Amino acid sequence: MCQDIGHLFSITQAAHACGLSRSTLMRMEERGLLTPAYIAPNSGRRYYDNHNVARILQVQMFQSMGFDTEVTATYFSKNGEAAELLALLENKLNLLRRNVEEMRLRSMQSPNMSVQIIELPEILCCVRRHTGLTIQEKYDAMYDFYHDCIRSGCVLAKEPLLVINERTDYLQGKITSTPYPFQVCVPVLPEKAPADAVCLPSCTALSVLFYDYGNVNEAWLTLGREVKERELTPAAFPRTLGIVAPYTGREIDPKRYCSRIVLPIQQ
């Protein structure tokens, strides 16, 4: 039976209505994101209806939100179940808020220290243990390990490098001069990650964001005070994230170095 195509749109019409090219619609079809209302068996010509056009616009909207093909296809295959999309958006929103806070501090348009409760995402890291105390010792250990991870073929994630500090003195309101164990961590993507890579689970954390390494001791003491005043219970050792550090650019003024100390807390 011949399909009545009088009420359908050609691929050119559908693409024009959505501000896209014909080839883009063909790629959507190849990726399982779009099924034309009708495909002529002899010519292979594609025809689209109103539902197809509305779906194309939805796919574009999801792409603008940063959703990949797999997530978008899953949304449609599950009849519009949006729980996964909502969770991903909330994670993106938390990341954006952190980035805004960090950028304010980089621009020095806020006080040199900021304290808040944040949500940390799950991170897969390559980890190497050391013992030391000073910022220089930690930086040297991190820089060497960063180099080794790249040479070994790791695929790096976009999260900043971090150090897990196995210390508790700040909780007693003091900064000791005794070296302590620390772990340098290089965030990586699962692709080509070594078998001994460590997963740091997502968690709620108390954060102290500060710039200029000269403020590091005060940042630690602030963390300790906030834990006590807010009656929080640590869930793990604190991490120091190098937001802007020597490794991020030789041309950056050291006074603009920006770090975040985060302490996972129990909920």
Side-chain angles (χ1 to χ4, degrees):
M1 181 179 296
C2 181
Q3 170 76 23
D4 178 13
I5 62 173
H7 66 290
L8 300 179
F9 312 114
S10 69
I11 188 171
T12 299
Q13 291 172 316
H16 177 75
C18 298
L20 300 173
S21 66
R22 291 160 47 103
S23 60
T24 298
L25 266 58
M26 294 297 294
R27 285 196 297 272
M28 284 187 182
E29 184 179 341
E30 292 170 1
R31 295 169 181 171
L33 297 174
L34 177 66
T35 301
Y38 176 66
I39 300 178
N42 295 329
S43 65
R45 289 177 179 171
R46 269 74 173 154
Y47 295 91
Y48 305 84
D49 60 16
N50 289 357
H51 295 288
N52 291 142
V53 172
R55 177 158 175 161
I56 293 167
L57 293 175
Q58 285 190 76
V59 170
Q60 286 183 280
M61 179 183 69
F62 291 153
Q63 289 175 337
S64 70
M65 294 179 182
F67 297 136
D68 61 23
T69 297
E70 182 179 355
V71 170
T72 302
T74 299
Y75 166 79
F76 288 112
S77 68
K78 291 185 175 180
N79 302 314
E81 169 55 52
E84 182 179 0
L85 272 63
L86 177 60
L88 289 171
L89 271 182
E90 287 176 338
N91 287 336
K92 290 176 182 292
L93 180 58
N94 287 330
L95 177 60
L96 182 59
R97 285 171 175 161
R98 283 192 287 139
N99 289 342
V100 169
E101 183 196 17
E102 291 163 6
M103 198 58 66
R104 281 181 180 148
L105 208 60
R106 289 191 194 199
S107 66
M108 297 185 179
Q109 292 180 0
S110 64
N112 61 6
M113 203 166 294
S114 173
V115 181
Q116 65 178 162
I117 300 292
I118 66 172
E119 298 297 322
L120 292 176
E122 177 180 285
I123 306 175
L124 184 66
C125 292
C126 293
V127 177
R128 181 179 290 173
R129 293 182 63 86
H130 292 269
T131 298
L133 177 65
T134 68
I135 291 176
Q136 190 62 51
E137 288 173 323
K138 294 176 183 178
Y139 181 77
D140 290 344
M142 176 61 76
Y143 194 87
D144 290 343
F145 189 40
Y146 188 57
H147 178 271
D148 292 345
C149 287
I150 296 172
R151 289 291 297 270
S152 65
C154 291
V155 181
L156 306 180
K158 294 181 176 63
E159 291 289 329
L161 305 182
L162 62 116
V163 174
I164 299 176
N165 305 274
E166 299 182 18
R167 65 186 301 185
T168 59
D169 54 349
Y170 66 97
L171 294 171
Q172 284 77 51
K174 58 184 179 181
I175 301 296
T176 65
S177 58
T178 303
Y180 54 84
F182 64 88
Q183 304 169 50
V184 291
C185 305
V186 176
V188 295
L189 297 180
E191 297 85 354
K192 298 185 179 180
D196 60 351
V198 174
C199 179
L200 301 180
S202 60
C203 65
T204 302
L206 175 64
S207 161
V208 177
L209 183 68
F210 66 98
Y211 69 77
D212 189 342
Y213 288 158
N215 294 319
V216 63
N217 285 344
E218 181 55 34
W220 279 107
L221 294 174
T222 298
L223 183 70
R225 287 195 299 270
E226 292 289 332
V227 169
K228 183 177 181 180
E229 292 174 5
R230 298 178 187 228
E231 298 182 339
L232 302 174
T233 302
F237 285 118
R239 312 170 192 172
T240 303
L241 284 61
I243 309 301
V244 181
Y247 78 91
T248 61
R250 293 188 179 92
E251 68 280 8
I252 297 176
D253 185 343
K255 291 184 178 180
R256 293 187 180 271
Y257 290 159
C258 180
S259 302
R260 184 190 291 276
I261 301 175
V262 293
L263 177 67
I265 55 176
Q266 296 182 13
Q267 291 292 289

